[in-house]
Every structure is written in structure tokens, then in C-alpha cells.
Amino acid sequence: MRTQITRQRLMATTIITGAAMLAFAAPAMAQSQEPAADEVAEIVVTGSRIPQANLVTTSPVTQVTGEDIDVQGVTRVEDLITQLPQAFASQNSTVSNGASGTATVSLRNLGSSRTLVLIDGRRMGYGSPNDDAADLNQIPGQLVERVEVLTGGASAVYGSDAIAGVVNFIMKKDFEGIQIDAQYGFYQHNNDYDGVGNLRSVITARGTTNPSQFKLPDDNVSDGESREVTLTMGVKTPDGKGSLLAYAGYRNNNEVLQAHRDYSACTIANPSAAAPANFTCGGSGTSFPGQFTDFATYAYTVNSSRQFVPYSSTLNAYNYGPINYYQRPDERYTLGAFGRYEVNEHAEVFTQLMFSDYSSVAQIAPSGSFFNTSTINCDNPLMSAQQSGLIGCSAADIAAGNSVPLYIGRRNVEGGGRQDSLNYESYRAVIGVRGMITEGWNYDVAAQFSRVRLSRTYLNDFSVSRLARALDVVSVGGVPTCRSVVDGTDPNCVPYDVFTSGGVTQDALNYLQIPLVQTGETTQQVVTAAVTGDLTQYGIQSPWAASGVKVAFGAEYRRDYLGSTTDAAFASGDGAGQGGPTIGITGSADVTDVFAEVQFPLADDQPWAYSASIDAAYRHSEYKSISTDTYKFGADYAPVADLRLRASYSRAVRAPNVLELFAAQGFGLFDIDSGDPCGAAIGTAFRATLAQCTATGVPTAQYGSSALNSPAGQYNQITGGNPNLGAEESDTITLGFVATPSFLPRFNISVDWFDIQVDGLISSVGAANTLDLCYRDNDAAACGRINRGPTGSLWVGDGYVENLAINIGGLKTSGIDVNAGYNVDLEDWGVMGMGQLGFAFVGTWLSSLESDTGTGTASAVSDCVGYYGSAQCGIPNPEWRHRARVTWQSPWSVNVSGTWRYYSEVDYGSSLTGPVSGRLDSTLDAMNYFDLSADWQVTDTVSARVGVNNIFDTDPPLSVAAGTGGNGNTYPQLYDALGRYAFFSVTANF
């Protein structure tokens, strides 16, 4: 028994501290203390199907507890998960341009598609017909008992997708009584930005020439209010063999506009030569009241007298940032029940039923005419004589009604921002039976079904076809009339008068603005049968071990279906502000697996080994067109009770999913803040040669032209699926130790090195990478994917970069995770009657984060550790991240916790360029955030919590490169972008 108890103290740190206990509320503190002998129990651990006393696992697992959710005051579970150093946000509430409406997580920044999300060890399905990753919005935060995050490949245990690791949500199940949780929170920010770029003075200066678009927000703002209420009810059967837990919840979060933060009140751009220390307020050439140009000889805007005046990108570019949502509003209803009943020792039936209804709106800048039309008829009565003359219309042209080149870029400011209204109804049901077959043998058979239904309506967008008709205007008895009304092709057409300020009518808006509609659903069906056995009773064990070999084996069938339907406007690309068509998709993928695991204890309580064991797992998967094999080997060795060494190797596989296989090809946008390589030079950015550019379709006269550079830094690409994709493969190696020194009771530390390499990556080369490969490396295949329009542009008209899904080279990441915890009674430090202190620390040092396009050229392989913003690196990748927390558990039923979150500095660039100097945003400084919270046990049945996150209201670092990969001139997926967050919550039990 001594061995069993002490080994439990040692091995429990694998998860409880060898993985990152983030909060030290009282229950969390108690977890790290040595359990009593009668508390030894079989516990299912993430990463294995074999029940294990002592929480033994040879792969590092990080744990977040339900108390963390309370201490941090989050209403969205993804906000807590992505504060782990191992996790990066993908889709979340701060994404507006390109939002799917889901909340996803990307472990090790390897992509959300490579992170498998489980609920009680059973996988979640696709979160959306538009996103193959699981949607964390479906998970009610107050029902989460703990979250376990497993590093590295786990496909041998859980199947496809577990390339970067597993996030396993363990839900509360055994509960008696009634509990009500209520929380209210809000953001508060003082607008006093004093970082690089002198942005406040720049906005003030721009406001003197364009006050409607450039103005500073109030000095003190409060917004983004959040409310959540959860009701939990639980009962147990009189015989104690069964239990039922039911819950219902409501959550509502208000929007935050970028206009309400001074550092996002204008869309920043690179400094001018005249003021190199200042950001400029950039914007879009699709401006207000408009830009009228042929992209060669002239560019005009209009005044209130129906006159053209010179257009200046410095003065007239549209400030599209302020109307964007920094935080999307959302509303969610949840409902569900967890139940179990032990019929006898051979059969316990169980079920999980979960429902959520989630709605959100993503708002970005207004739609309009994005240079969608290329000519204008000279006899258009909406133009004055001055205007028609300036664009080259002669008297003969006017008389004949000839057309001349004219591109119009004008924002639909009158109609308001584009709003993508997204609604998801999600259902998930699990039913199964488990029990003992015979002594030492158990079974678990379960079936699960999940469905997500999407209802999407995109509002306030312009119809391209209607826009063309509304600008093709002739005079009928002196009345401007659409030509389509005259010839009867569209009797409803209303002229769109953009040739003078204030000329747009509500009737014109009613005609031009159209809703775009998408509906769809995903389903997942899984049937799993597993058997576990303890071979000790057969004498199959090491002579030096206290227990024998344990095994698990079984089979699984899974079918994933995804389908969506879009209306004619979406499917044809008729939405002017869409960047291209959104085309429906239908497809499914089936797989049948067989799997097995073995755990072999080698030694217990021997002179040469306090404990030692090895384990292995294997899975074979059969898809329609491919078959895969995955496996894992692990070992742990404790030479003494205070120290445990562990190591694992795993081969994981991810088969292409339905979206990657069957997604229709369509237009989208990508970011380059340094401009088109064939356009006018921006700062010290790389520029291609004339020969290179003309070879890819740039007219000689346009080489070096500013017309090739998108003012918004956004360019066209074609993306889509590929039915010929193969599976990804990854190899993960972890080495580490867990120490619980007896000379320092209640202290523990774990250090684990990880190395993950993915080959045959299912991805695309990347549109920006393609430009680099062509113009820097003269890669012919890359140049062949660049398709320029007649003017050579990649952002106006039909120019684009082809960026389809393929199996490319791969990804690689490595680093070290450090986790530590320490609990101390203050009496041990000579402070009597003042309670206890708890310390917790979790940090990650990132050693490498490499991507390989597989082209074999000089620019093919790049490392992004400590970099951000370039074509290769995107969001910041700090070399070091950590969270540290100290909690004082007072003797007066009050606990106070302080948290320090740290992200090291990052440089613009990649390993290909090194840190790029000469930019205001060359380096994003290291960021420190401090949070403070307290909880008070008011009575035996009522507790209250209050807290403030980012108590010093630290401003985020700003970058021109943020683009659509970030939001509001920064990266709110990583940094606190909205200011300090205050919250108050109450829990009452009855």
C-alpha cells in the first residue's frame, strides 16, 4: 500500500502540475496535496483508453479546472483555453472580416484542423459548413469540470485530426440540488494611447480635412457588456445507482466598435517620408464620396456641385476601420442533460444530450462599388459637362452615347456596414452502455450523433449586376432613367447618382442592396466499441512490478457529412463586397478503425527503480480511397519517489476532411502590407524587376505604378478543395521529467521538450508566398499561378493568385513546456492565522516553428519563432509565453488571486529576412498583463466573485501588417485589445 499511495502522489503531478494548473482557488490547491490512502481510484486520463490509478500518462497533459473559469471571469471557454501557452486562437469573437461565427483553438499554432476537440473523451463534429474545426461555443462553461490538453499526436487513441494534440472537456455529471450561476462583465478603457506612431495626433490632423471619418473617441469608454446565467439541477436515484444532471443557460455579449478605441479609430498605414515617426491613417481606394479613375491618367473625387476634383489617397482614402466590430455581439441558449444508471455490475447505461442556439453578427465597412464597372456612357445625364469632359468624352461621344473607360470606387456609407448574420443550432447526443464482462475485463459501447445547422444572411451588400444597370443611365424626357427600364430588361432599376455629394436616394439603396443567404448543416455519426482488460490475474506481469499488463482494444465507425446551399447572389459572386462567389458544397467521409493499447508496468519499489513502465498504442483506419496506420510508444521511469522521467513517440495521421476535398473554387482576399512586388515601392520592401513583372502579365507602362498597390492592402486569390489530396503524417517526440521533492513538500515541477513534424501538409502554398516564390526565387510553377488582369492589377477586376489546397512540404515545431506549483501554509513562514498561499506557473519556450512549401526553392522553408506579420508568419509567435498566479486563501472565507500573463517581443519578418528594420512596427514589444480577482463564500450556499483582467488597461501593440489576419491594427486573438475587463458573479445552491 505504501507504494500505491506514494506513487499516486508522484504521478498525479503528471496532469495536476506536470501540466498547468492555472488557478489556485481552494479546490485547485487541494488537488496538489497528498490524497489519503482510501482515495486511490481508477481515473480515465486523456491520451489513453486504459483506466489508470495515479493519472499515469507518458505524454504531457495540461489541465485547466472549472475554478479557472470562475477566477478569470470568462463567459467564453475559448478565451480561457487560448491563454494557455500551448494554444493559439483561430476563429473567435474578435474576428469580424472573414468570421465563420465559430470559436476554435489551434494547439501549437499548427492550425485548428489539426487540433482534436473532445467532450468526455468523445470527439466533436465539424463546427460549421464553413469551418471544419469543432465549435467551442457549443460547450457551456459552467458545466466544465476541467479541461485537459494533450501535447502532440494522439491519433492512435482517438483517430484522425489529433496532429497537434487534443483538447478534452470533462463535464460535471454527479451533482445534487439546484445551482444558479450569474455573471455580468464589461470592458472599460481610457483612450490615451501613447505608443509608437503618434496615432492620436495623426487622427486629429486628419480630422481637420475629413471630420466625418477621422475623429477620436471619448476619453473614457465602457462597452462590450457580457451577461450569463446558468441553471443546473441534479438528482440521484434512491438506490444510489444512477444520477441525472440537467442544465439550461443564456449568454449575451454586446459589440465593441473599433471607433471606440483611439488605437483603432483609423486604419494605420506606413509612415510618409515627411513624418517617419508617425503612422499614417491609410484606408481604401473604394472611398466616400468616391474615386473615379482609369488607373492610368487620372483619379478624381466629387464635390457637392457635381464637379470632379483631384483625388488624393492621402486625403480621400476611406477610413474603413471604425465601423468594424472589435468584438462581435452574440447571444447563446444552451440546454442539456447527462445521465447514468447502473443496472447491475455488468451494465451501466449512460447518455449525454446537448443543445445550443448561437447567433452572432460580424460587421465590417460598407459595401459599394468596388471598381466593379469599367466603362461609363458619355451621354449619362448624371454627369455634368465638366465631369464628362475630364474623363475624355468628346461632343461626338456624348451625341453618339459612346462609352469611355471609368472605374468607380465608392462606399455605400448611406446604407451602413456590411453585416454577416450567423445562426447555429447544434445538437449532440451520446447513448451507451458499459460494465464488467468478467473480473478484470470491462467493455464500453456507445453511439453518438451530432448535427450543426447554419442559417446565414449577409445584409447591406450591393448587387454587382444591379450596380451596372443603375450606373447605365440615359435621359428620358429630361429624367435620368436606367437603360434597363427603357428596354424593359429590368423595370425596377433606379439610377445610382454618385456624381455629386448627397445624390444617392433611399430608392436607389432599396434597389441596390440585396441579402445573400446560405443554409447548411454538418452531421457526425460515431459508433465505438472498446474492451479493457487487466492481465494481472493471468500472471502476465513483470516479476518486479506490483501489477500486470493492461490492455484495451476495439473498433470504431465514423461518418462526417457536410453540406451547404447558397442563393444565386452568393453563388454567382453578385455581392459586390464579397471578394468572390460563395458556392455550396456537399460531401461526406467514412472511416472504419480498429485500435489497441497496452500498458506494461516494469518495476515498482525496486532498488534500481521506484517505478517504471512502458506503453504502446496502434490504430488502423480504412477510408474510401486511403488507409492509414498510426502508433505510439511511451515510457516512464522514476528512479526515486521524488523524480519521474518520461518519454513518448507517436505517429499521427490526419485524413483530408470534406471541406478540403470538395470545397468549390472561389475568390477571396489575402493581405500584403508591403504592396504588389510589381507596384510602386513602399519603404524598403522588395520589388521585382521589369522583366519578371511583364512575364507575369504586367503592362510595361504599369510597372512601378501605385495603381497596382491596393490602398487597403488586400488582393484577390482563388481558393478551393482538391479531391486528390492525401493524408498528412506527423511524428511527435516528447521528453521530460516531473519532480515532487520530499525536502520541499507541496512543491512540484515538470519540464517537457516537444518536437512535432508534419509531412504532406494539407494546405496551400499561400498567395503571398506564391508571389515571393515567383519574384524572389524565379519559381516557374509559382509564376504560373499568378493571373493578372488587363491592367496588371491583382486587386481590381479579375486578377488573382491561385491558392488551391494541395499536399505541400510540411510544418515543424519544437520547444519546452515548464509547469510548476507550490502550496504553503503561512504558519510555516512564521505568519500565524493568515491562511495559505498557492503559486502556479505554466510557460512555453518556442524553439522552432517552421513551414515548408515543398517547392525546394530558397524561400521554401521559413521559421517564425519570434516573428510576425510577413507572408510566412502572420500572427505573432512569441518565443516565450507564460502565466503565473498566486492565490491567498485567507481564513475568512475569502480567496484573492493575482495573475501575470507575459508574451515576449516579436519582430516583423521571418527567418528568410531576419528582423526587418526601418518600420515603426519592426518590433512589437513584450506585453505584460496583470489580473486580480477575489471570491467570497458569503454563506454555506452562496458565493460571490469579483475581478478585473488587465487591471492597468495596457494598450495592445499596433502593426500595419495586422490586416484581416488580425483586427483593429493589432492581433486581439493574442493581445488584450479592448482594455480592462471587470466582472462580478454569484453562485447560489439550493
Side-chain angles (χ1 to χ4, degrees):
M1 179 60 71
R2 184 193 70 80
T3 298
Q4 192 175 26
I5 295 172
T6 309
R7 287 186 68 229
Q8 177 160 344
R9 175 176 66 84
L10 173 66
M11 302 306 183
T13 60
T14 300
I15 290 179
I16 295 171
T17 63
M21 185 173 58
L22 291 183
F24 271 88
M29 291 178 68
Q31 287 180 4
S32 64
Q33 296 171 359
E34 185 173 329
D38 59 0
E39 292 177 345
V40 176
E42 296 286 292
I43 301 173
V44 177
V45 176
T46 299
S48 176
R49 292 183 182 273
I50 298 175
Q52 303 166 32
N54 310 329
L55 302 178
V56 176
T57 174
T58 54
S59 297
V61 176
T62 297
Q63 186 183 76
V64 180
T65 68
E67 287 76 23
D68 292 308
I69 296 176
D70 293 335
V71 169
Q72 204 65 31
V74 297
T75 60
R76 294 176 290 249
V77 294
E78 72 270 17
D79 291 343
L80 182 67
I81 300 300
T82 54
Q83 288 180 4
L84 285 170
Q86 300 95 327
F88 290 75
S90 186
Q91 285 281 338
N92 69 359
S93 63
T94 67
V95 178
S96 219
N97 195 345
S100 67
T102 60
T104 61
V105 61
S106 170
L107 290 180
R108 306 294 181 189
N109 205 16
L110 296 182
S112 57
S113 299
R114 296 172 189 86
T115 299
L116 181 62
V117 181
L118 312 173
I119 298 178
D120 288 328
R122 304 181 192 277
R123 70 165 56 221
M124 297 180 67
Y126 298 153
S128 165
N130 299 328
D131 194 334
D132 53 34
D135 183 8
L136 304 188
N137 283 315
Q138 300 173 19
I139 300 172
Q142 290 299 323
L143 271 294
V144 174
E145 180 176 289
R146 68 183 188 275
V147 187
E148 295 177 350
V149 180
L150 173 68
T151 292
S155 291
V157 177
Y158 297 114
S160 180
D161 302 336
I163 293 284
V166 169
V167 179
N168 189 10
F169 289 86
I170 311 298
M171 309 303 289
K172 299 174 183 176
K173 303 176 190 68
D174 291 322
F175 174 80
E176 287 188 283
I178 298 175
Q179 179 174 287
I180 298 176
D181 291 281
Q183 177 168 308
Y184 176 80
F186 63 93
Y187 288 98
Q188 186 278 326
H189 177 64
N190 295 320
N191 283 304
D192 55 1
Y193 177 78
D194 59 357
V196 298
N198 300 312
L199 192 53
R200 288 181 64 87
S201 62
V202 170
I203 294 172
T204 300
R206 286 298 306 273
T208 61
T209 58
N210 194 344
S212 65
Q213 291 189 38
F214 296 91
K215 52 187 174 183
L216 289 170
D218 294 340
D219 290 343
N220 186 310
V221 294
S222 297
D223 51 18
E225 295 82 4
S226 63
R227 310 157 193 87
E228 183 172 36
V229 178
T230 305
L231 171 66
T232 307
M233 299 176 290
V235 296
K236 290 187 177 181
T237 59
D239 59 8
K241 293 184 177 182
S243 64
L244 176 66
L245 181 151
Y247 67 89
Y250 173 77
R251 186 186 78 190
N252 179 276
N253 290 290
N254 290 356
E255 74 277 0
V256 176
L257 285 170
Q258 290 183 23
H260 295 164
R261 300 296 185 272
D262 54 2
Y263 42 75
S264 57
C266 87
T267 304
I268 62 174
N270 288 305
S272 66
N278 293 352
F279 284 125
T280 58
C281 283
S284 171
T286 304
S287 65
F288 180 81
Q291 180 184 177
F292 302 78
T293 181
D294 64 353
F295 290 110
T297 60
Y298 65 82
Y300 301 111
T301 187
V302 298
N303 61 21
S304 58
S305 302
R306 205 173 290 275
Q307 302 287 307
F308 278 151
V309 295
Y311 174 89
S312 167
S313 59
T314 303
L315 298 176
N316 302 122
Y318 178 71
N319 185 19
Y320 59 84
I323 201 170
N324 289 13
Y325 283 155
Y326 229 149
Q327 173 179 278
R328 297 196 320 268
D330 66 37
E331 185 174 48
R332 186 189 70 175
Y333 297 88
T334 56
L335 187 70
F338 308 146
R340 64 172 185 85
Y341 185 76
E342 184 181 353
V343 180
N344 54 49
E345 65 179 348
H346 299 291
E348 180 185 67
V349 293
F350 60 91
T351 187
Q352 282 190 346
L353 305 173
M354 302 176 69
F355 166 79
S356 70
D357 185 302
Y358 175 83
S359 298
S360 183
V361 176
Q363 178 171 288
I364 59 175
S367 183
S369 174
F370 291 88
F371 305 101
N372 301 101
T373 57
S374 59
T375 62
I376 193 77
N377 56 304
C378 286
D379 61 344
N380 192 314
L382 299 178
M383 289 193 298
S384 66
Q386 183 256 10
Q387 290 173 328
S388 60
L390 286 176
I391 64 174
C393 289
S394 66
D397 290 328
I398 295 173
N402 294 333
S403 295
V404 296
L406 179 68
Y407 293 88
I408 300 174
R410 187 190 189 278
R411 289 284 173 171
N412 176 31
V413 171
E414 298 88 352
R418 284 167 284 175
Q419 293 191 331
D420 196 356
S421 178
L422 300 144
N423 173 254
Y424 290 101
E425 286 186 358
S426 304
Y427 308 82
R428 184 175 186 271
V430 179
I431 185 169
V433 58
R434 59 196 171 208
M436 183 178 70
I437 301 172
T438 186
E439 188 66 32
W441 291 92
N442 297 278
Y443 71 96
D444 186 316
V445 179
Q448 67 181 79
F449 176 80
S450 62
R451 168 178 283 141
V452 176
R453 287 177 173 164
L454 165 66
S455 177
R456 178 189 183 197
T457 305
Y458 202 100
L459 302 172
N460 299 339
D461 205 355
F462 267 14
S463 163
V464 174
S465 57
R466 294 187 182 189
L467 177 64
R469 294 194 289 268
L471 289 171
D472 185 12
V473 178
V474 295
S475 176
V476 178
V479 178
T481 306
C482 295
R483 192 187 305 272
S484 62
V485 172
V486 176
D487 62 22
T489 56
D490 184 356
N492 298 314
C493 180
V494 178
Y496 185 43
D497 186 0
V498 297
F499 294 94
T500 185
S501 297
V504 176
T505 66
Q506 186 60 49
D507 287 343
L509 293 181
N510 293 342
Y511 171 71
L512 289 168
Q513 291 182 162
I514 59 171
L516 298 94
V517 178
Q518 179 186 23
T519 59
E521 73 171 22
T522 72
T523 62
Q524 184 181 82
Q525 300 157 277
V526 184
V527 179
T528 307
V531 174
T532 59
D534 187 342
L535 306 184
T536 306
Q537 59 187 319
Y538 306 112
I540 303 177
Q541 70 180 86
S542 164
W544 304 287
S547 60
V549 174
K550 296 179 176 64
V551 298
F553 55 87
E556 181 174 274
Y557 169 79
R558 185 177 81 254
R559 182 178 189 270
D560 288 295
Y561 165 83
L562 184 152
S564 72
T565 302
T566 55
D567 66 0
F570 250 145
S572 65
D574 195 41
Q578 297 302 302
T582 299
I583 303 172
I585 177 178
T586 299
S588 62
D590 298 67
V591 60
T592 302
D593 298 346
V594 292
F595 54 85
E597 285 185 71
V598 60
Q599 185 185 76
F600 194 164
L602 298 176
D604 290 300
D605 212 9
Q606 299 297 316
W608 50 274
Y610 189 77
S611 69
S613 68
I614 57 175
D615 61 73
Y618 171 78
R619 177 179 290 250
H620 177 76
S621 303
E622 286 288 341
Y623 295 85
K624 181 178 180 180
S625 56
I626 60 174
S627 61
T628 63
D629 296 283
T630 60
Y631 42 87
K632 174 203 170 183
F633 302 98
D636 72 278
Y637 171 55
V640 294
D642 293 2
L643 178 66
R644 176 186 176 217
L645 310 177
R646 59 186 177 191
S648 68
Y649 166 79
S650 61
R651 162 66 59 88
V653 170
R654 187 177 79 87
N657 59 52
V658 175
L659 278 175
E660 293 164 333
L661 290 169
F662 305 118
Q665 296 179 10
F667 277 90
L669 299 174
F670 70 99
D671 295 324
I672 318 175
D673 79 298
S674 56
D676 188 321
C678 294
I682 298 178
T684 59
F686 169 81
R687 282 295 171 265
T689 66
L690 174 62
Q692 288 176 313
C693 293
T694 55
T696 57
V698 177
T700 301
Q702 288 292 92
Y703 175 71
S705 168
S706 60
L708 297 184
N709 294 335
S710 165
Q714 296 175 350
Y715 299 81
N716 299 329
Q717 63 176 332
I718 281 186
T719 60
N722 180 353
N724 298 315
L725 290 169
E728 296 177 347
E729 292 185 348
S730 76
D731 294 304
T732 299
I733 300 173
T734 64
L735 298 169
F737 70 86
V738 181
T740 55
S742 54
F743 60 83
L744 188 59
R746 293 172 293 183
F747 172 79
N748 43 68
I749 185 171
S750 70
V751 178
D752 290 281
W753 172 77
F754 62 89
D755 184 283
I756 305 172
Q757 180 163 334
V758 186
D759 294 315
L761 185 76
I762 300 172
S763 183
S764 59
V765 173
N769 276 333
T770 296
L771 295 178
D772 277 352
L773 289 167
C774 173
Y775 296 121
R776 289 179 183 269
D777 297 344
N778 294 308
D779 181 81
C783 293
R785 297 193 294 271
I786 300 172
N787 299 271
R788 293 184 177 273
T791 65
S793 176
L794 292 173
W795 68 280
V796 175
D798 55 3
Y800 64 89
V801 178
E802 182 182 297
N803 192 29
L804 303 178
I806 57 175
N807 288 99
I808 66 171
L811 292 172
K812 180 181 179 181
T813 186
S814 61
I816 295 176
D817 291 332
V818 179
N819 306 273
Y822 180 49
N823 296 338
V824 61
D825 193 320
L826 289 176
E827 292 185 1
D828 297 341
W829 290 358
V831 181
M832 309 304 293
M834 293 299 291
Q836 299 180 5
L837 285 180
F839 301 88
F841 179 89
V842 53
T844 295
W845 173 66
L846 191 60
S847 174
S848 67
L849 183 60
E850 296 180 3
S851 60
D852 181 0
T853 63
T855 60
T857 60
S859 300
V861 180
S862 59
D863 194 332
C864 288
V865 173
Y867 291 108
Y868 88 99
S870 61
Q872 294 77 25
C873 296
I875 67 171
N877 300 281
E879 186 174 8
W880 175 258
R881 303 170 64 184
H882 76 236
R883 284 190 57 169
R885 177 170 293 164
V886 58
T887 293
W888 174 43
Q889 184 179 356
S890 80
W892 304 291
S893 301
V894 174
N895 302 326
V896 180
S897 296
T899 303
W900 171 29
R901 294 177 283 129
Y902 175 81
Y903 307 90
S904 63
E905 69 176 27
V906 291
D907 295 315
Y908 182 91
S910 72
S911 62
L912 298 177
T913 62
V916 177
S917 60
R919 300 172 55 111
L920 284 181
D921 57 359
S922 291
T923 299
L924 303 186
D925 290 337
M927 299 303 296
N928 295 274
Y929 298 109
F930 297 93
D931 311 327
L932 187 65
S933 66
D935 67 89
W936 175 32
Q937 191 69 40
V938 183
T939 69
D940 290 341
T941 59
V942 177
S943 62
R945 292 167 296 278
V946 64
V948 179
N949 299 334
N950 188 12
I951 57 177
F952 296 117
D953 191 23
T954 303
D955 292 334
L958 305 186
S959 174
V960 175
T964 56
N967 198 9
N969 300 325
T970 188
Y971 297 91
Q973 308 99 313
L974 180 69
Y975 303 119
D976 286 22
L978 304 181
R980 59 173 60 92
Y981 178 73
F983 64 91
F984 173 78
S985 62
V986 175
T987 300
N989 291 276
F990 305 94

